[in-house]
Amino acid sequence: MGRVKIDGSEKWVGFVGAGYNAADCSGGSGCDPRGKGFYVVDLSNGNILWSYTRANDSTMNYSLPASPAIVDVDNDGFIDTAYIRRSGRQHVEV
């Protein structure tokens, strides 16, 4: 959870990985997309403000079960970057 600025407006948001799914999509057969996503949620109303899922990136073969690390890079009190680890030993910077 943290503060972000969107179009000059301050919002409190939650950063959420989509959860664990033991089925990965690296085998080339059918793919179960559950768990393969990352969301930024407006805490005032529950709206999804931004998402990154397998629908955006067909190479997202593994789920994102971990809590993200959020960083205020420029120390202005607003989150600038989030890092989350995929179950396939890969990390994503958003």
Side-chain angles (χ1 to χ4, degrees):
M1 177 172 72
R3 282 187 326 159
V4 297
K5 263 192 186 176
I6 300 175
D7 298 326
S9 297
E10 177 183 324
K11 289 192 178 282
W12 281 92
V13 299
F15 299 89
V16 184
Y20 180 71
N21 181 355
D24 66 59
C25 298
S26 62
S29 61
C31 175
D32 182 352
R34 293 178 296 176
K36 295 162 185 71
F38 178 75
Y39 302 91
V40 178
V41 181
D42 186 331
L43 295 179
S44 70
N45 58 22
N47 289 341
I48 296 173
L49 300 175
W50 185 84
S51 65
Y52 177 69
T53 67
R54 184 159 169 85
N56 305 104
D57 180 355
S58 63
T59 66
M60 186 182 290
N61 294 323
Y62 302 96
S63 59
L64 287 90
S67 297
I70 54 176
V71 182
D72 176 7
V73 176
D74 56 6
N75 203 29
D76 65 354
F78 295 95
I79 302 304
D80 303 299
T81 304
Y83 297 92
I84 189 164
R85 186 155 176 92
R86 295 183 195 176
S87 59
R89 297 184 184 160
Q90 304 163 327
H91 78 276
V92 178
E93 176 183 348
V94 292

